[in-house]
Amino acid sequence: MIEFADATKFISNFEAIYSKKIVRIPYTTKEGTRKTILMCKCGRTYVSLPYMSLGVIESKPTDRKTAPFMLFETEENNIISTSKKNWEIRDTLAHSPYIYADKLFTWLDLTKSKEVMALYSADVRRKVRKAQKDDIVIKHGTDKRLIKDFYYAYSLRMKEISVAPIGKQVIRRSIKAGVTTLFVAYKGKNVVGSATLNDMYNGVYANGLFSSLSKYNKHYVSYALHFAMMSFAKQKQAIYYSFGRSTRNGSVHQYKKHFKGEDIPLYWSYSMKKKNIRDNKLLYWMWSKVPYFLTKRLGAAISRYIY
């Protein structure tokens, strides 16, 4: 999990962006150190943390308001439940017999070279240069025009893959919190792709949302976007660039392997056996039948419950 000494700023940003209240739940490590795990109550379940790939721990929670109950204790490297409350923990370790382990995230160490291009294989360098030769232009920032263009490509791509897009207001709140920079790809006057780059923690910059319109795949738009975001992160003295999470051995994961990054397995542990909404093929089919103009309106409401 991600660990902060003082998570106050992180909590403030998270609550402002996602409109969900974080609860500090205390626990004591095997060595006797008192810490808190940050969780949101989602329905009847405490989740650490919705919308994120990894949970967050605060190592110095003294003089901080914490939950009036103990939910966990530690055993070796694992956090285990001491309560009958329902919970979900997102980590690179399993914390119960009931896990969802189909996801991973991929990141690249940017400190291995002074130049981003030098981190790539010859094939990836060729594709980035092909995009540049084809006049794929990448703009970044946070202004209203970029928000509009970003959301056009993002929502259209989500429609193509039958996924509900998050609401535009979440993007605006993330920008206002100083967490997110938008990247938009253009071919002439046409918007052909877009992505978000999030300043996460301790020198890690993460690609959050990503879209590359399929009709422009021959121009290698996705490679141009990642190169632009990595270059930006490098200028900000980033240590790692995260490509975000994907399904193990799925098409997106296979694509990310081209960059020769490191795969980090994710284990989402549950207090009891649970069906995962991501395995419901019927929902994907039903969403594919919703007209595009409605997906933008309904997506904001639906995506709040898909985390």
Side-chain angles (χ1 to χ4, degrees):
M1 279 188 274
I2 303 166
E3 186 165 325
F4 292 99
D6 182 348
T8 301
K9 183 178 179 181
F10 171 85
I11 292 171
S12 177
N13 285 341
F14 185 95
E15 291 180 344
I17 294 167
Y18 297 110
S19 298
K20 283 189 179 294
K21 183 70 174 176
I22 284 181
V23 180
R24 286 177 164 104
I25 297 180
Y27 71 97
T28 303
T29 69
K30 185 181 177 183
E31 294 76 21
T33 303
R34 188 175 174 84
K35 297 186 178 183
T36 65
I37 182 169
L38 307 186
M39 308 193 89
C40 292
K41 192 173 183 183
C42 302
R44 297 180 179 179
T45 303
Y46 286 88
V47 181
S48 176
L49 274 167
Y51 312 112
M52 294 187 61
S53 296
L54 293 171
V56 174
I57 288 173
E58 189 177 36
S59 61
K60 296 182 180 179
T62 54
D63 300 322
R64 304 289 183 188
K65 186 177 180 181
T66 59
F69 55 85
M70 295 290 287
L71 189 55
F72 305 103
E73 63 182 26
T74 57
E75 183 178 272
E76 298 298 332
N77 293 321
N78 295 102
I79 296 173
I80 59 175
S81 179
T82 59
S83 168
K84 293 183 179 180
K85 295 180 184 294
N86 294 338
W87 51 264
E88 174 187 331
I89 294 178
R90 300 181 174 191
D91 197 2
T92 56
L93 299 171
H95 295 283
S96 84
Y98 313 113
I99 60 171
Y100 177 72
D102 290 0
K103 299 293 183 181
L104 50 75
F105 72 87
T106 305
W107 67 5
L108 190 64
D109 186 344
L110 297 180
T111 66
K112 289 184 176 180
S113 172
K114 292 183 178 180
E115 301 295 330
V116 171
M117 272 289 197
L119 296 168
Y120 298 158
S121 66
D123 183 55
V124 172
R125 291 197 297 270
R126 176 185 66 81
K127 289 172 179 175
V128 172
R129 290 177 180 134
K130 175 69 164 71
Q132 294 169 340
K133 183 180 178 181
D134 289 355
D135 297 321
I136 299 299
V137 175
I138 310 296
K139 297 181 181 180
H140 72 270
T142 57
D143 60 64
K144 291 182 179 179
R145 175 61 186 272
L146 278 178
I147 294 174
K148 178 182 177 182
D149 289 349
F150 162 83
Y151 203 77
Y152 165 76
Y154 165 67
S155 60
L156 192 58
R157 179 57 180 162
M158 293 304 99
K159 173 57 180 173
E160 288 181 353
I161 61 175
S162 299
V163 173
I166 68 170
K168 194 182 291 185
Q169 70 274 19
V170 176
I171 307 297
R172 293 194 185 103
R173 292 196 293 259
S174 189
I175 289 171
K176 185 177 180 180
V179 173
T180 297
T181 301
L182 302 179
F183 287 74
V184 181
Y186 298 88
K187 171 71 172 169
K189 294 182 179 180
N190 296 320
V191 179
V192 298
S194 64
T196 60
L197 183 65
N198 301 322
D199 182 357
M200 298 298 291
Y201 60 94
N202 298 335
V204 177
Y205 278 70
N207 169 213
L209 305 175
F210 194 91
S211 56
S212 175
L213 301 185
S214 56
K215 66 183 290 187
Y216 296 98
N217 281 350
K218 65 181 180 181
H219 301 295
Y220 298 114
V221 175
S222 63
Y223 291 89
L225 278 167
H226 281 301
F227 174 66
M229 289 191 288
M230 285 187 209
S231 299
F232 179 90
K234 186 78 170 172
Q235 290 174 3
K236 297 293 184 180
Q237 308 300 313
I239 298 171
Y240 286 100
Y241 173 83
S242 171
F243 291 86
R245 69 175 180 246
S246 52
T247 301
R248 186 188 305 274
N249 295 323
S251 59
V252 175
H253 180 212
Q254 296 299 330
Y255 162 78
K256 291 175 183 177
K257 285 183 177 180
H258 295 169
F259 291 89
K260 306 297 183 182
E262 180 185 4
D263 288 340
I264 309 296
L266 294 171
Y267 297 91
W268 294 356
S269 304
Y270 305 98
S271 54
M272 60 185 65
K273 193 172 182 179
K274 177 181 176 182
K275 289 186 177 179
N276 199 295
I277 191 173
R278 295 168 184 82
D279 297 327
N280 193 321
K281 305 302 182 184
L282 177 60
L283 291 180
Y284 284 95
W285 179 83
M286 291 173 62
W287 188 256
S288 71
K289 303 303 179 184
V290 177
Y292 170 62
F293 77 95
L294 279 179
T295 62
K296 292 187 289 184
R297 297 181 182 181
L298 296 175
I302 294 173
S303 62
R304 282 177 52 84
Y305 303 98
I306 303 174
Y307 43 77

